Amino acid sequence: MEPIIRLENVSFSYNHQPVLEDVNLSVSPGDFLAVIGPNGSGKTTLMKIILGLLSAHSGRVEVLGGHPQDVARSIGYVPQQYDFKPDFPITVEQVVLMGLAHASRTGWRYNADDKKRAAAALEQVEMQELGARRIGELSGGQIQRVIIARALVAGPRLLLLDEPTSNIDPHGTFCFYEFLSDLNKFITIVIVSHDIHIVTSKVKSVACVNQRLFYNSRPELTPEMLTLMYGEHNETCPAGTTLNELSQRLGYPREEP
Amino acid sequence: MLEALSFEFMQNALMAAVLASIACGIIGSLVVVNRIVFLSGGIAHTAYGGVGLAFFFGWPVLPCTIGFTLAASLVMGAVTLRHSDRVDTIIGVLWAAGMALGIILLDITPGYNVDLMSFLFGSILAVPVSDLWIMAGLVVVILALVLLFYRSFLVMSFDQEFARARGVPVSILYLLMLSMVAVSVVMIIRVVGLILVIALLTIPPYLAGRFAKSLGKMMLAAIAWSIVFCITGLWISYQFNITSGASIIACATVCFAGILLTEQMVKKVRA
């Protein structure tokens, strides 16, 4: 089957500093991939390349069988919410309707069909009752769900989430990962995160990024991945101890350095 | 008040106030939700450089000032879109440089010049009918642009990153928004002065935005607040013989502070 995302020998640099080097990745339809990497590892750059917001300096990028910029509308994008404006005058429904925006749509109003789709997307995230609320009245976890509904409203084939765990409502009864796992029956999902615990949720495969990229088609971190992300550490160094414990827990006894 | 309304200058002042309120309510709402109040202040002050340029070379004032201010706003916009960490410094530099350029050029221009005070505070009580027509035209253009691109402006203002990913032309819209700020500021400064423009761009939209459920409703409420401030201010200015621009701003500021203080007190009582 045609892969949903195909990266071949992709490289990218900022001001002559290499950020991504010779990255290869192939995501099959139906996959639920976690892309993990520490801060500054290039995972955000990788995501922007897939979204067509940045162009790779070399290599080939194919998303949904086309050039990223041409298929951007078929990708459901859930951006990181660090610059979210809680005082913005907008209702939940209007936020979801933004997911239908594109360059050639002008005008003031949305039609009945758009509103029906927004209602359906809100129902998917169990937020149908809150459509008329102002966005700032919602809790962090609820906002996260609205932003996911916004990504789903256009009926995407690929869902891309940037650091989604940062805003999960601790008291919520809505299980975010359960929800993504259900959604994964119809949509290919890629989650980008710095949090390696995401591997223990229902993801199907893992990629680790730190300038280079290692891929595992099973949801397990290999010792090479841990070394790629955190470097080599001595047993006596605190990071070394932690890494040792971690790889034991993951079932990979680490070799003595 | 009724006898005041029989004067033509007062009728013109009210018309000017309503037109400026509509323009500032729409543009100001975009300015406030995009958090570019500082940038707009920069654009407005830089305009004085254009005034100086026009007088020094003997060019027609309005087109020259608009051209100069548009150029300055596009420079600031390009800087904002490219190096977002240096933005405030560069706006500060252009802000100061534009004003200094205007003052120096007016200093070395022989003969009678506009003074800084009329640029700062304008003269809403001396608006000629021709200026009212120009302002009406401006309001129509702003309304048309904002209605046409309303949804794109909304997405861009709420979440630039998402808007880009959806293929919305964020850079073009951003520069269009700054151009609208530049042109409206120049047009309205002639009538009500720089200080009143900044006050009308910020206070009514802020008050309007606290509970509004959409950007459009925020714009309408901002226009309403703005008209209330202008009419009350003009009345006070007529009754007590105070500078009109300053009296409108005083009105808005007192109202602004009163509402914020009451809210704080209500919060405390409830807690």
Side-chain angles (χ1 to χ4, degrees):
Chain A
M1 231 189 309
E2 267 288 290
I4 292 273
I5 300 171
R6 177 158 44 195
L7 304 180
E8 278 172 18
N9 309 102
V10 166
S11 298
F12 189 89
S13 46
Y14 278 117
N15 304 325
H16 308 292
Q17 284 280 334
V19 180
L20 292 174
E21 247 179 310
D22 212 13
V23 164
N24 289 286
L25 178 68
S26 174
V27 180
S28 325
D31 202 352
F32 187 170
L33 169 72
V35 178
I36 307 171
N39 292 328
S41 58
K43 59 185 190 305
T44 303
T45 304
L46 182 71
M47 202 192 54
K48 287 188 172 172
I49 288 175
I50 295 172
L51 279 167
L53 294 172
L54 291 173
S55 297
H57 291 164
S58 63
R60 243 167 65 91
V61 181
E62 215 180 86
V63 181
L64 300 170
H67 191 270
Q69 270 158 357
D70 302 330
V71 298
R73 273 187 232 158
S74 311
I75 304 175
Y77 173 41
V78 182
Q80 216 173 328
Q81 290 304 304
Y82 60 90
D83 61 350
F84 180 75
K85 301 169 175 170
D87 54 349
F88 201 95
I90 191 166
T91 60
V92 168
E93 186 198 32
Q94 292 281 324
V95 173
V96 176
L97 284 167
M98 280 183 187
L100 297 169
H102 52 79
S104 53
R105 285 193 69 156
T106 51
W108 175 260
R109 293 195 160 276
Y110 291 94
N111 59 36
D113 185 48
D114 292 340
K115 294 203 168 170
K116 217 183 278 172
R117 291 171 78 167
L122 277 173
E123 205 172 327
Q124 250 184 308
V125 296
E126 294 170 31
M127 295 278 294
Q128 61 274 30
E129 258 114 64
L130 299 180
R133 291 275 194 93
R134 226 176 105 124
I135 190 79
E137 297 170 15
L138 270 52
S139 71
Q142 288 173 321
I143 290 171
Q144 178 85 269
R145 280 147 70 184
V146 174
I147 301 296
I148 291 173
R150 178 179 70 173
L152 293 175
V153 71
R157 288 168 59 200
L158 167 67
L159 189 65
L160 209 57
L161 301 100
D162 190 5
E163 299 282 357
T165 45
S166 50
N167 248 333
I168 297 303
D169 198 348
H171 312 294
T173 49
F174 177 89
C175 179
F176 181 66
Y177 288 106
E178 206 64 60
F179 167 73
L180 286 185
S181 174
D182 284 346
L183 205 59
N184 182 232
K185 288 168 192 154
F186 316 100
I187 303 176
T188 311
I189 300 180
V190 176
I191 287 192
V192 175
S193 178
H194 69 279
D195 180 7
I196 59 169
H197 289 103
I198 206 162
V199 180
T200 59
S201 66
K202 304 205 169 180
V203 302
K204 292 179 183 162
S205 57
V206 177
C208 276
V209 195
N210 200 355
Q211 207 164 318
R212 289 177 301 143
L213 182 143
F214 288 154
Y215 175 80
N216 189 354
S217 57
R218 292 187 306 154
E220 287 160 357
L221 291 167
T222 62
E224 300 86 64
M225 286 178 163
L226 289 175
T227 309
L228 175 74
M229 288 194 290
Y230 303 108
E232 298 275 7
H233 291 270
N234 276 330
E235 190 81 38
T236 45
C237 140
T241 315
T242 313
L243 282 181
N244 236 2
E245 280 171 17
L246 196 62
S247 49
Q248 261 159 23
R249 227 187 309 156
L250 292 167
Y252 295 102
R254 224 160 151 256
E255 281 164 35
E256 292 299 316
Chain B
M1 188 68 190
L2 281 179
E3 72 174 75
L5 281 177
S6 59
F7 298 117
E8 201 196 330
F9 75 87
M10 208 59 185
Q11 293 164 4
N12 288 354
L14 282 176
M15 274 306 290
V18 170
L19 289 171
S21 294
I22 297 173
C24 287
I26 295 171
I27 298 293
S29 295
L30 282 174
V31 165
V32 166
V33 296
N34 277 284
R35 301 192 179 143
I36 51 165
V37 171
F38 185 63
L39 206 164
S40 311
I43 291 175
H45 281 83
T46 313
Y48 201 58
V51 177
L53 220 55
F55 273 86
F56 184 73
F57 290 105
W59 292 336
V61 178
L62 192 60
C64 178
T65 313
I66 288 182
F68 185 83
T69 315
L70 262 180
S73 74
L74 293 180
V75 169
M76 290 184 200
V79 173
T80 312
L81 289 169
R82 286 195 169 196
H83 320 266
S84 31
D85 50 336
R86 287 267 179 270
V87 178
D88 54 345
T89 314
I90 290 176
I91 293 170
V93 170
L94 282 171
W95 175 316
M99 285 229 85
L101 177 73
I103 289 171
I104 291 172
L105 286 176
L106 287 172
D107 274 347
I108 56 178
T109 304
Y112 173 75
N113 295 324
V114 281
D115 62 336
L116 193 54
M117 276 307 279
S118 79
F119 177 77
L120 290 179
F121 280 97
S123 41
I124 197 167
L125 293 176
V127 181
V129 177
S130 58
D131 274 11
L132 289 180
W133 281 109
I134 293 178
M135 283 177 78
L138 172 75
V139 165
V140 170
V141 171
I142 289 175
L143 263 175
L145 282 174
V146 171
L147 280 175
L148 190 59
F149 299 117
Y150 178 77
R151 283 191 297 211
S152 299
F153 275 127
L154 184 67
V155 188
M156 176 200 75
S157 310
F158 186 71
D159 192 339
Q160 270 198 20
E161 199 65 19
F162 181 78
R164 279 184 207 279
R166 291 291 308 168
V168 173
V170 168
S171 302
I172 295 172
L173 283 168
Y174 193 80
L175 294 178
L176 176 66
M177 176 175 72
L178 294 189
S179 308
M180 289 198 296
V181 172
V183 175
S184 357
V185 155
V186 171
M187 300 289 220
I188 301 166
I189 279 177
R190 284 158 50 86
V191 180
V192 295
L194 168 72
I195 308 288
L196 185 52
V197 166
I198 292 178
L200 290 187
L201 279 178
T202 49
I203 299 177
Y206 174 79
L207 291 176
R210 289 167 320 141
F211 304 115
K213 285 204 164 179
S214 73
L215 186 59
K217 285 176 186 152
M218 175 178 177
M219 289 170 174
L220 289 176
I223 293 170
W225 275 113
S226 189
I227 291 176
V228 168
F229 294 147
C230 286
I231 291 178
T232 321
L234 278 173
W235 180 74
I236 293 173
S237 128
Y238 179 79
Q239 288 293 322
F240 301 100
N241 199 20
I242 303 171
T243 311
S244 52
S247 124
I248 294 171
I249 295 167
C251 231
T253 318
V254 168
C255 206
F256 177 80
I259 286 177
L260 288 195
L261 281 176
T262 319
E263 254 176 28
Q264 289 298 318
M265 267 156 49
V266 168
K267 252 187 215 163
K268 275 218 172 123
V269 170
R270 278 196 191 153

